[in-house]
Amino acid sequence: VQLQASGGGLVQPGGSLRLSCAAHGFTLPYWNIGWFRQVPGKEREGVSCLNTNNDSTYYADSVKGRFTLSRDNAKNTVYLQMNNLNSEDTAVYYCATVDSRFHCSRLETGSSPVWGQGTLVTVSS
């Protein structure tokens, strides 16, 4: 069971990136998937979450209207489209399984997440 995050890079303010979270060894549509980010020296924060029951999505206030979650079941992959990026979005981004709809709505993982490796997003001119 493994998650693989990718798609990070260097982008100018106002630019866009699309992060991917590919699942290996399990069927992604049956799992809630969240994105989290961490800046060195700061706590990891929840960014967004896709609930598998009804495909409801949750976003941190700081990214609402700019970030969009989607899922491609055929590719067993969840995407995070990030638009209008700014310097405060600079962080290492991680995807992880989320235990429940409750945890998804709170942008928390719950007790036993599977984490992907991080992908670095740098927003700078």
mmCIF file of all heavy atoms in Angstrom, residues 46-88:
data_model
loop_
_atom_site.group_PDB
_atom_site.id
_atom_site.type_symbol
_atom_site.label_atom_id
_atom_site.label_comp_id
_atom_site.label_asym_id
_atom_site.label_seq_id
_atom_site.Cartn_x
_atom_site.Cartn_y
_atom_site.Cartn_z
ATOM 1 N N GLY A 46 -3.577 20.974 7.142
ATOM 2 C CA GLY A 46 -4.448 20.382 6.137
ATOM 3 C C GLY A 46 -4.810 21.397 5.076
ATOM 4 O O GLY A 46 -5.095 22.560 5.388
ATOM 5 N N VAL A 47 -4.784 20.972 3.840
ATOM 6 C CA VAL A 47 -5.073 21.858 2.709
ATOM 7 C C VAL A 47 -6.430 21.530 2.099
ATOM 8 O O VAL A 47 -7.244 22.409 1.855
ATOM 9 C CB VAL A 47 -3.965 21.729 1.650
ATOM 10 C CG1 VAL A 47 -4.321 22.547 0.410
ATOM 11 C CG2 VAL A 47 -2.626 22.158 2.213
ATOM 12 N N SER A 48 -6.658 20.248 1.847
ATOM 13 C CA SER A 48 -7.907 19.857 1.201
ATOM 14 C C SER A 48 -8.134 18.373 1.400
ATOM 15 O O SER A 48 -7.214 17.625 1.738
ATOM 16 C CB SER A 48 -7.874 20.191 -0.293
ATOM 17 O OG SER A 48 -6.835 19.468 -0.922
ATOM 18 N N CYS A 49 -9.377 17.947 1.185
ATOM 19 C CA CYS A 49 -9.701 16.539 1.345
ATOM 20 C C CYS A 49 -10.852 16.165 0.436
ATOM 21 O O CYS A 49 -11.801 16.944 0.256
ATOM 22 C CB CYS A 49 -10.055 16.226 2.795
ATOM 23 S SG CYS A 49 -10.244 14.458 3.117
ATOM 24 N N LEU A 50 -10.759 14.968 -0.137
ATOM 25 C CA LEU A 50 -11.804 14.432 -0.999
ATOM 26 C C LEU A 50 -12.436 13.243 -0.286
ATOM 27 O O LEU A 50 -11.758 12.258 -0.004
ATOM 28 C CB LEU A 50 -11.207 13.994 -2.338
ATOM 29 C CG LEU A 50 -12.144 13.314 -3.331
ATOM 30 C CD1 LEU A 50 -13.263 14.264 -3.753
ATOM 31 C CD2 LEU A 50 -11.375 12.839 -4.555
ATOM 32 N N ASN A 51 -13.719 13.366 -0.002
ATOM 33 C CA ASN A 51 -14.439 12.303 0.689
ATOM 34 C C ASN A 51 -14.996 11.325 -0.339
ATOM 35 O O ASN A 51 -15.666 11.738 -1.294
ATOM 36 C CB ASN A 51 -15.563 12.901 1.516
ATOM 37 C CG ASN A 51 -16.417 11.840 2.160
ATOM 38 O OD1 ASN A 51 -17.525 11.573 1.719
ATOM 39 N ND2 ASN A 51 -15.902 11.199 3.185
ATOM 40 N N THR A 52 -14.755 10.056 -0.137
ATOM 41 C CA THR A 52 -15.113 9.068 -1.141
ATOM 42 C C THR A 52 -16.600 8.777 -1.206
ATOM 43 O O THR A 52 -17.095 8.335 -2.244
ATOM 44 C CB THR A 52 -14.332 7.764 -0.889
ATOM 45 O OG1 THR A 52 -14.565 6.858 -1.963
ATOM 46 C CG2 THR A 52 -14.799 7.096 0.400
ATOM 47 N N ASN A 53 -17.328 8.992 -0.113
ATOM 48 C CA ASN A 53 -18.742 8.613 -0.086
ATOM 49 C C ASN A 53 -19.559 9.346 -1.130
ATOM 50 O O ASN A 53 -20.357 8.762 -1.853
ATOM 51 C CB ASN A 53 -19.327 8.868 1.310
ATOM 52 C CG ASN A 53 -18.853 7.820 2.306
ATOM 53 O OD1 ASN A 53 -18.367 6.766 1.902
ATOM 54 N ND2 ASN A 53 -18.973 8.120 3.569
ATOM 55 N N ASN A 54 -19.384 10.639 -1.180
ATOM 56 C CA ASN A 54 -20.190 11.423 -2.113
ATOM 57 C C ASN A 54 -19.349 12.400 -2.909
ATOM 58 O O ASN A 54 -19.876 13.344 -3.499
ATOM 59 C CB ASN A 54 -21.261 12.195 -1.341
ATOM 60 C CG ASN A 54 -20.687 13.038 -0.241
ATOM 61 O OD1 ASN A 54 -19.478 13.130 -0.100
ATOM 62 N ND2 ASN A 54 -21.540 13.666 0.548
ATOM 63 N N ASP A 55 -18.040 12.174 -2.907
ATOM 64 C CA ASP A 55 -17.105 13.051 -3.616
ATOM 65 C C ASP A 55 -17.170 14.485 -3.102
ATOM 66 O O ASP A 55 -16.849 15.418 -3.846
ATOM 67 C CB ASP A 55 -17.346 13.027 -5.125
ATOM 68 C CG ASP A 55 -16.602 11.879 -5.792
ATOM 69 O OD1 ASP A 55 -15.864 11.148 -5.080
ATOM 70 O OD2 ASP A 55 -16.743 11.709 -7.004
ATOM 71 N N SER A 56 -17.585 14.658 -1.876
ATOM 72 C CA SER A 56 -17.552 16.010 -1.314
ATOM 73 C C SER A 56 -16.104 16.409 -1.064
ATOM 74 O O SER A 56 -15.243 15.565 -0.801
ATOM 75 C CB SER A 56 -18.345 16.081 -0.013
ATOM 76 O OG SER A 56 -17.889 15.102 0.897
ATOM 77 N N THR A 57 -15.851 17.687 -1.175
ATOM 78 C CA THR A 57 -14.492 18.201 -1.013
ATOM 79 C C THR A 57 -14.460 19.265 0.076
ATOM 80 O O THR A 57 -15.441 19.981 0.301
ATOM 81 C CB THR A 57 -13.971 18.797 -2.329
ATOM 82 O OG1 THR A 57 -14.916 19.759 -2.819
ATOM 83 C CG2 THR A 57 -13.753 17.727 -3.377
ATOM 84 N N TYR A 58 -13.333 19.350 0.718
ATOM 85 C CA TYR A 58 -13.127 20.310 1.799
ATOM 86 C C TYR A 58 -11.808 21.030 1.559
ATOM 87 O O TYR A 58 -10.839 20.425 1.092
ATOM 88 C CB TYR A 58 -13.093 19.589 3.154
ATOM 89 C CG TYR A 58 -14.329 18.757 3.420
ATOM 90 C CD1 TYR A 58 -14.378 17.426 3.040
ATOM 91 C CD2 TYR A 58 -15.447 19.323 4.038
ATOM 92 C CE1 TYR A 58 -15.516 16.663 3.270
ATOM 93 C CE2 TYR A 58 -16.576 18.564 4.275
ATOM 94 C CZ TYR A 58 -16.606 17.234 3.893
ATOM 95 O OH TYR A 58 -17.735 16.482 4.120
ATOM 96 N N TYR A 59 -11.794 22.306 1.869
ATOM 97 C CA TYR A 59 -10.609 23.124 1.622
ATOM 98 C C TYR A 59 -10.328 24.022 2.818
ATOM 99 O O TYR A 59 -11.256 24.518 3.467
ATOM 100 C CB TYR A 59 -10.808 23.995 0.383
ATOM 101 C CG TYR A 59 -11.043 23.223 -0.895
ATOM 102 C CD1 TYR A 59 -12.323 22.950 -1.347
ATOM 103 C CD2 TYR A 59 -9.961 22.753 -1.648
ATOM 104 C CE1 TYR A 59 -12.538 22.225 -2.506
ATOM 105 C CE2 TYR A 59 -10.166 22.040 -2.817
ATOM 106 C CZ TYR A 59 -11.450 21.778 -3.235
ATOM 107 O OH TYR A 59 -11.656 21.066 -4.394
ATOM 108 N N ALA A 60 -9.053 24.252 3.054
ATOM 109 C CA ALA A 60 -8.670 25.262 4.023
ATOM 110 C C ALA A 60 -9.088 26.631 3.498
ATOM 111 O O ALA A 60 -9.111 26.870 2.293
ATOM 112 C CB ALA A 60 -7.158 25.225 4.256
ATOM 113 N N ASP A 61 -9.412 27.528 4.411
ATOM 114 C CA ASP A 61 -9.843 28.863 4.002
ATOM 115 C C ASP A 61 -8.796 29.543 3.139
ATOM 116 O O ASP A 61 -9.128 30.307 2.224
ATOM 117 C CB ASP A 61 -10.136 29.725 5.231
ATOM 118 C CG ASP A 61 -11.401 29.293 5.948
ATOM 119 O OD1 ASP A 61 -12.227 28.573 5.340
ATOM 120 O OD2 ASP A 61 -11.573 29.677 7.120
ATOM 121 N N SER A 62 -7.546 29.273 3.419
ATOM 122 C CA SER A 62 -6.454 29.956 2.709
ATOM 123 C C SER A 62 -6.354 29.557 1.233
ATOM 124 O O SER A 62 -5.707 30.243 0.450
ATOM 125 C CB SER A 62 -5.125 29.670 3.404
ATOM 126 O OG SER A 62 -4.876 28.277 3.437
ATOM 127 N N VAL A 63 -6.991 28.438 0.855
ATOM 128 C CA VAL A 63 -6.872 27.979 -0.531
ATOM 129 C C VAL A 63 -8.218 27.921 -1.247
ATOM 130 O O VAL A 63 -8.264 27.622 -2.453
ATOM 131 C CB VAL A 63 -6.177 26.603 -0.611
ATOM 132 C CG1 VAL A 63 -4.854 26.629 0.129
ATOM 133 C CG2 VAL A 63 -7.074 25.491 -0.078
ATOM 134 N N LYS A 64 -9.299 28.190 -0.545
ATOM 135 C CA LYS A 64 -10.624 28.136 -1.169
ATOM 136 C C LYS A 64 -10.698 29.079 -2.356
ATOM 137 O O LYS A 64 -10.237 30.215 -2.300
ATOM 138 C CB LYS A 64 -11.703 28.515 -0.150
ATOM 139 C CG LYS A 64 -12.126 27.376 0.750
ATOM 140 C CD LYS A 64 -13.214 27.823 1.715
ATOM 141 C CE LYS A 64 -13.582 26.713 2.667
ATOM 142 N NZ LYS A 64 -14.570 27.156 3.682
ATOM 143 N N GLY A 65 -11.281 28.579 -3.428
ATOM 144 C CA GLY A 65 -11.400 29.376 -4.641
ATOM 145 C C GLY A 65 -10.170 29.320 -5.525
ATOM 146 O O GLY A 65 -10.212 29.783 -6.664
ATOM 147 N N ARG A 66 -9.074 28.784 -5.020
ATOM 148 C CA ARG A 66 -7.838 28.687 -5.809
ATOM 149 C C ARG A 66 -7.427 27.248 -6.080
ATOM 150 O O ARG A 66 -6.840 26.952 -7.120
ATOM 151 C CB ARG A 66 -6.697 29.402 -5.082
ATOM 152 C CG ARG A 66 -6.952 30.861 -4.799
ATOM 153 C CD ARG A 66 -5.714 31.560 -4.265
ATOM 154 N NE ARG A 66 -5.282 31.027 -2.976
ATOM 155 C CZ ARG A 66 -4.073 30.483 -2.770
ATOM 156 N NH1 ARG A 66 -3.196 30.421 -3.740
ATOM 157 N NH2 ARG A 66 -3.747 30.035 -1.563
ATOM 158 N N PHE A 67 -7.708 26.364 -5.151
ATOM 159 C CA PHE A 67 -7.316 24.951 -5.276
ATOM 160 C C PHE A 67 -8.558 24.109 -5.551
ATOM 161 O O PHE A 67 -9.641 24.371 -5.002
ATOM 162 C CB PHE A 67 -6.665 24.450 -3.990
ATOM 163 C CG PHE A 67 -5.299 25.011 -3.704
ATOM 164 C CD1 PHE A 67 -4.785 26.094 -4.389
ATOM 165 C CD2 PHE A 67 -4.497 24.419 -2.728
ATOM 166 C CE1 PHE A 67 -3.527 26.602 -4.118
ATOM 167 C CE2 PHE A 67 -3.229 24.906 -2.435
ATOM 168 C CZ PHE A 67 -2.746 26.007 -3.131
ATOM 169 N N THR A 68 -8.387 23.084 -6.371
ATOM 170 C CA THR A 68 -9.496 22.195 -6.703
ATOM 171 C C THR A 68 -9.023 20.748 -6.715
ATOM 172 O O THR A 68 -8.010 20.427 -7.355
ATOM 173 C CB THR A 68 -10.079 22.539 -8.088
ATOM 174 O OG1 THR A 68 -10.465 23.909 -8.121
ATOM 175 C CG2 THR A 68 -11.296 21.670 -8.382
ATOM 176 N N LEU A 69 -9.777 19.911 -6.027
ATOM 177 C CA LEU A 69 -9.499 18.476 -6.006
ATOM 178 C C LEU A 69 -10.295 17.772 -7.087
ATOM 179 O O LEU A 69 -11.434 18.138 -7.373
ATOM 180 C CB LEU A 69 -9.919 17.874 -4.665
ATOM 181 C CG LEU A 69 -8.958 17.971 -3.494
ATOM 182 C CD1 LEU A 69 -9.666 17.563 -2.229
ATOM 183 C CD2 LEU A 69 -7.749 17.100 -3.741
ATOM 184 N N SER A 70 -9.679 16.733 -7.652
ATOM 185 C CA SER A 70 -10.417 15.876 -8.577
ATOM 186 C C SER A 70 -9.823 14.475 -8.503
ATOM 187 O O SER A 70 -8.740 14.283 -7.936
ATOM 188 C CB SER A 70 -10.348 16.415 -10.005
ATOM 189 O OG SER A 70 -9.012 16.443 -10.468
ATOM 190 N N ARG A 71 -10.535 13.526 -9.102
ATOM 191 C CA ARG A 71 -10.068 12.143 -9.042
ATOM 192 C C ARG A 71 -10.277 11.478 -10.387
ATOM 193 O O ARG A 71 -11.310 11.667 -11.029
ATOM 194 C CB ARG A 71 -10.821 11.379 -7.942
ATOM 195 C CG ARG A 71 -10.428 9.928 -7.816
ATOM 196 C CD ARG A 71 -11.015 9.312 -6.568
ATOM 197 N NE ARG A 71 -12.464 9.390 -6.540
ATOM 198 C CZ ARG A 71 -13.187 9.254 -5.427
ATOM 199 N NH1 ARG A 71 -12.584 9.066 -4.274
ATOM 200 N NH2 ARG A 71 -14.499 9.304 -5.476
ATOM 201 N N ASP A 72 -9.300 10.698 -10.801
ATOM 202 C CA ASP A 72 -9.402 9.877 -12.007
ATOM 203 C C ASP A 72 -9.331 8.418 -11.556
ATOM 204 O O ASP A 72 -8.249 7.912 -11.263
ATOM 205 C CB ASP A 72 -8.270 10.219 -12.980
ATOM 206 C CG ASP A 72 -8.404 9.490 -14.308
ATOM 207 O OD1 ASP A 72 -9.000 8.393 -14.350
ATOM 208 O OD2 ASP A 72 -7.904 10.021 -15.319
ATOM 209 N N ASN A 73 -10.478 7.780 -11.475
ATOM 210 C CA ASN A 73 -10.512 6.400 -10.963
ATOM 211 C C ASN A 73 -9.746 5.443 -11.869
ATOM 212 O O ASN A 73 -9.126 4.493 -11.389
ATOM 213 C CB ASN A 73 -11.955 5.934 -10.807
ATOM 214 C CG ASN A 73 -12.668 6.675 -9.701
ATOM 215 O OD1 ASN A 73 -12.042 7.251 -8.821
ATOM 216 N ND2 ASN A 73 -13.987 6.680 -9.757
ATOM 217 N N ALA A 74 -9.787 5.689 -13.156
ATOM 218 C CA ALA A 74 -9.095 4.801 -14.086
ATOM 219 C C ALA A 74 -7.586 4.826 -13.859
ATOM 220 O O ALA A 74 -6.900 3.821 -14.057
ATOM 221 C CB ALA A 74 -9.416 5.197 -15.522
ATOM 222 N N LYS A 75 -7.086 5.974 -13.434
ATOM 223 C CA LYS A 75 -5.648 6.104 -13.169
ATOM 224 C C LYS A 75 -5.329 5.939 -11.690
ATOM 225 O O LYS A 75 -4.165 6.058 -11.294
ATOM 226 C CB LYS A 75 -5.145 7.457 -13.669
ATOM 227 C CG LYS A 75 -5.235 7.616 -15.175
ATOM 228 C CD LYS A 75 -4.645 8.937 -15.627
ATOM 229 C CE LYS A 75 -4.680 9.053 -17.151
ATOM 230 N NZ LYS A 75 -4.118 10.338 -17.627
ATOM 231 N N ASN A 76 -6.371 5.703 -10.883
ATOM 232 C CA ASN A 76 -6.160 5.537 -9.444
ATOM 233 C C ASN A 76 -5.379 6.714 -8.855
ATOM 234 O O ASN A 76 -4.458 6.539 -8.040
ATOM 235 C CB ASN A 76 -5.413 4.225 -9.161
ATOM 236 C CG ASN A 76 -5.928 3.503 -7.940
ATOM 237 O OD1 ASN A 76 -7.081 3.658 -7.543
ATOM 238 N ND2 ASN A 76 -5.066 2.700 -7.323
ATOM 239 N N THR A 77 -5.779 7.902 -9.255
ATOM 240 C CA THR A 77 -5.010 9.107 -8.919
ATOM 241 C C THR A 77 -5.961 10.231 -8.505
ATOM 242 O O THR A 77 -7.038 10.391 -9.099
ATOM 243 C CB THR A 77 -4.166 9.554 -10.123
ATOM 244 O OG1 THR A 77 -3.247 8.514 -10.468
ATOM 245 C CG2 THR A 77 -3.380 10.815 -9.802
ATOM 246 N N VAL A 78 -5.531 10.976 -7.505
ATOM 247 C CA VAL A 78 -6.213 12.203 -7.095
ATOM 248 C C VAL A 78 -5.332 13.383 -7.472
ATOM 249 O O VAL A 78 -4.103 13.308 -7.315
ATOM 250 C CB VAL A 78 -6.493 12.196 -5.574
ATOM 251 C CG1 VAL A 78 -6.931 13.566 -5.095
ATOM 252 C CG2 VAL A 78 -7.558 11.159 -5.237
ATOM 253 N N TYR A 79 -5.954 14.439 -7.950
ATOM 254 C CA TYR A 79 -5.215 15.621 -8.384
ATOM 255 C C TYR A 79 -5.589 16.813 -7.513
ATOM 256 O O TYR A 79 -6.731 16.953 -7.077
ATOM 257 C CB TYR A 79 -5.541 15.948 -9.841
ATOM 258 C CG TYR A 79 -5.207 14.834 -10.800
ATOM 259 C CD1 TYR A 79 -6.199 13.985 -11.284
ATOM 260 C CD2 TYR A 79 -3.905 14.634 -11.225
ATOM 261 C CE1 TYR A 79 -5.894 12.963 -12.157
ATOM 262 C CE2 TYR A 79 -3.585 13.608 -12.106
ATOM 263 C CZ TYR A 79 -4.589 12.782 -12.561
ATOM 264 O OH TYR A 79 -4.283 11.762 -13.429
ATOM 265 N N LEU A 80 -4.608 17.679 -7.315
ATOM 266 C CA LEU A 80 -4.847 18.962 -6.661
ATOM 267 C C LEU A 80 -4.405 20.048 -7.625
ATOM 268 O O LEU A 80 -3.207 20.248 -7.825
ATOM 269 C CB LEU A 80 -4.077 19.063 -5.341
ATOM 270 C CG LEU A 80 -4.293 20.359 -4.561
ATOM 271 C CD1 LEU A 80 -5.742 20.449 -4.070
ATOM 272 C CD2 LEU A 80 -3.327 20.447 -3.380
ATOM 273 N N GLN A 81 -5.376 20.702 -8.236
ATOM 274 C CA GLN A 81 -5.089 21.814 -9.133
ATOM 275 C C GLN A 81 -4.935 23.068 -8.293
ATOM 276 O O GLN A 81 -5.859 23.428 -7.550
ATOM 277 C CB GLN A 81 -6.212 21.985 -10.156
ATOM 278 C CG GLN A 81 -6.016 23.164 -11.090
ATOM 279 C CD GLN A 81 -4.842 22.972 -12.033
ATOM 280 O OE1 GLN A 81 -4.640 21.900 -12.576
ATOM 281 N NE2 GLN A 81 -4.056 24.034 -12.233
ATOM 282 N N MET A 82 -3.805 23.726 -8.417
ATOM 283 C CA MET A 82 -3.511 24.913 -7.614
ATOM 284 C C MET A 82 -3.323 26.098 -8.544
ATOM 285 O O MET A 82 -2.399 26.101 -9.365
ATOM 286 C CB MET A 82 -2.246 24.691 -6.775
ATOM 287 C CG MET A 82 -2.294 23.424 -5.931
ATOM 288 S SD MET A 82 -0.901 23.281 -4.783
ATOM 289 C CE MET A 82 0.464 23.178 -5.942
ATOM 290 N N ASN A 83 -4.195 27.071 -8.419
ATOM 291 C CA ASN A 83 -4.149 28.269 -9.256
ATOM 292 C C ASN A 83 -3.860 29.503 -8.421
ATOM 293 O O ASN A 83 -4.036 29.493 -7.197
ATOM 294 C CB ASN A 83 -5.478 28.447 -9.988
ATOM 295 C CG ASN A 83 -5.788 27.310 -10.935
ATOM 296 O OD1 ASN A 83 -4.895 26.685 -11.508
ATOM 297 N ND2 ASN A 83 -7.061 27.022 -11.105
ATOM 298 N N ASN A 84 -3.422 30.546 -9.093
ATOM 299 C CA ASN A 84 -3.159 31.832 -8.436
ATOM 300 C C ASN A 84 -2.291 31.646 -7.191
ATOM 301 O O ASN A 84 -2.606 32.146 -6.113
ATOM 302 C CB ASN A 84 -4.477 32.520 -8.079
ATOM 303 C CG ASN A 84 -4.297 33.965 -7.704
ATOM 304 O OD1 ASN A 84 -3.304 34.591 -8.069
ATOM 305 N ND2 ASN A 84 -5.246 34.519 -6.966
ATOM 306 N N LEU A 85 -1.212 30.942 -7.374
ATOM 307 C CA LEU A 85 -0.326 30.635 -6.259
ATOM 308 C C LEU A 85 0.375 31.885 -5.756
ATOM 309 O O LEU A 85 0.659 32.814 -6.525
ATOM 310 C CB LEU A 85 0.700 29.582 -6.681
ATOM 311 C CG LEU A 85 0.123 28.165 -6.847
ATOM 312 C CD1 LEU A 85 1.047 27.306 -7.713
ATOM 313 C CD2 LEU A 85 -0.092 27.523 -5.489
ATOM 314 N N ASN A 86 0.642 31.901 -4.469
ATOM 315 C CA ASN A 86 1.399 32.993 -3.871
ATOM 316 C C ASN A 86 2.488 32.415 -2.972
ATOM 317 O O ASN A 86 2.559 31.206 -2.739
ATOM 318 C CB ASN A 86 0.466 33.933 -3.113
ATOM 319 C CG ASN A 86 -0.300 33.237 -2.015
ATOM 320 O OD1 ASN A 86 0.287 32.697 -1.077
ATOM 321 N ND2 ASN A 86 -1.629 33.248 -2.108
ATOM 322 N N SER A 87 3.319 33.280 -2.465
ATOM 323 C CA SER A 87 4.490 32.837 -1.704
ATOM 324 C C SER A 87 4.109 32.037 -0.464
ATOM 325 O O SER A 87 4.879 31.171 -0.017
ATOM 326 C CB SER A 87 5.346 34.032 -1.312
ATOM 327 O OG SER A 87 4.587 34.941 -0.517
ATOM 328 N N GLU A 88 2.932 32.290 0.078
ATOM 329 C CA GLU A 88 2.516 31.565 1.272
ATOM 330 C C GLU A 88 2.118 30.125 0.966
ATOM 331 O O GLU A 88 1.902 29.338 1.889
ATOM 332 C CB GLU A 88 1.354 32.291 1.950
ATOM 333 C CG GLU A 88 1.762 33.645 2.513
ATOM 334 C CD GLU A 88 0.639 34.328 3.274
ATOM 335 O OE1 GLU A 88 -0.504 33.845 3.209
ATOM 336 O OE2 GLU A 88 0.916 35.340 3.944
#
